Amino acid sequence: MEKYEENVKKELENLTNTQRLLFGACCIDRILHLIAGFDYFLEENHIKRITKEPSLSLCTDWLDSIFLYVNINKDISSDEIEKTLNTLNKIIPDTEEFPDNVAIFTQNSMIGLSYLYEFINKNELIFITNCSDKVIETIDVMYYETDYERLDIHYEEDYKIQFNCIEMIKTGEDIAKLRKYNQLTRVNNKT
């Protein structure tokens, strides 16, 4: 597993900042759908959400903005970044308050999304590396109790997907094809 993780991290060092941001966005695109489970959890338990809109809708819009930023250089102002980060900080679920795994999946997705916006602000590679790590953390939670013996295999499979994504980005694959790949390689909760 470490070999694959090292390959991904080494490849990230050789990408431009735009390519790095695109890779991070692809990582989050693969786990963002898991937020739907948290929205459902809130609804089923009659827990009032902090925002009017469901979390998945908000986060999808914010992620789509990142893809537009990369694809057509659609600017995201520093005010928008600050507002997005502030809202994310308010809606990221506290796993002490919500012990269900869907809260952890949501937390990973939202924190990963915040890393993308932090990267736009600061251009520090660690934010993109952290996006990759959030996917792995999500896989860890999904399989730790149900398929622990094969956990390293699940990690390796995902690092291979991440590496493939980097290769697609390096060859200039268009964003529509990258997003299609993300959909096909989504991290799915099988527990």
Side-chain angles (χ1 to χ4, degrees):
M1 177 198 66
E2 290 172 15
K3 175 180 111 181
Y4 296 105
E5 180 181 12
E6 287 173 23
N7 284 344
V8 166
K9 293 187 176 165
K10 199 178 296 177
E11 285 296 321
L12 287 174
E13 292 174 10
N14 298 319
L15 298 179
T16 67
N17 281 339
T18 300
Q19 290 172 321
R20 289 173 178 170
L21 181 60
L22 184 54
F23 170 76
C26 286
C27 287
I28 303 311
D29 201 18
R30 295 183 49 240
I31 60 174
L32 198 73
H33 67 281
L34 296 169
I35 294 174
F38 186 69
D39 283 335
Y40 180 77
F41 176 85
L42 293 177
E43 192 175 304
E44 284 295 302
N45 292 288
H46 308 287
I47 300 170
K48 187 177 179 196
R49 65 176 99 250
I50 295 169
T51 58
K52 291 178 187 174
E53 249 184 293
S55 297
L56 181 60
S57 295
L58 282 173
C59 291
T60 298
D61 288 347
W62 291 325
L63 184 61
D64 288 347
S65 292
I66 297 287
F67 280 109
L68 281 172
Y69 175 81
V70 171
N71 194 33
I72 60 171
N73 207 19
K74 185 176 185 289
D75 192 40
I76 301 175
S77 71
S78 51
D79 286 345
E80 287 176 85
I81 292 170
E82 186 177 330
K83 184 179 173 186
T84 300
L85 288 170
N86 286 337
T87 304
L88 272 167
N89 285 330
K90 289 177 190 167
I91 65 172
I92 292 172
D94 180 349
T95 54
E96 298 288 321
E97 206 175 307
F98 302 102
D100 195 283
N101 281 349
V102 296
I104 296 171
F105 302 150
T106 299
Q107 187 182 67
N108 285 346
S109 298
M110 289 181 175
I111 290 172
L113 189 57
S114 72
Y115 290 148
L116 297 173
Y117 280 87
E118 289 288 1
F119 181 78
I120 292 172
N121 258 348
K122 300 175 182 166
N123 283 329
E124 294 175 13
L125 180 57
I126 189 67
F127 292 115
I128 301 306
T129 303
N130 288 344
C131 289
S132 167
D133 293 344
K134 285 298 169 191
V135 176
I136 298 301
E137 288 173 26
T138 300
I139 289 168
D140 185 68
V141 172
M142 281 182 183
Y143 295 109
Y144 186 81
E145 291 180 9
T146 60
D147 199 11
Y148 181 78
E149 304 80 39
R150 294 177 20 92
L151 201 51
D152 280 346
I153 293 168
H154 294 294
Y155 296 152
E156 275 183 33
E157 287 171 354
D158 201 79
Y159 279 122
K160 286 177 185 176
I161 291 167
Q162 291 183 31
F163 187 79
N164 288 341
C165 184
I166 289 172
E167 290 302 308
M168 292 171 73
I169 290 168
K170 284 171 43 180
T171 60
E173 197 67 67
D174 72 27
I175 289 185
K177 287 186 180 173
L178 280 168
R179 294 207 75 184
K180 180 77 170 168
Y181 181 72
N182 299 340
Q183 294 295 310
L184 294 172
T185 59
R186 277 181 168 181
V187 175
N188 287 310
N189 185 6
K190 296 171 183 154
T191 58

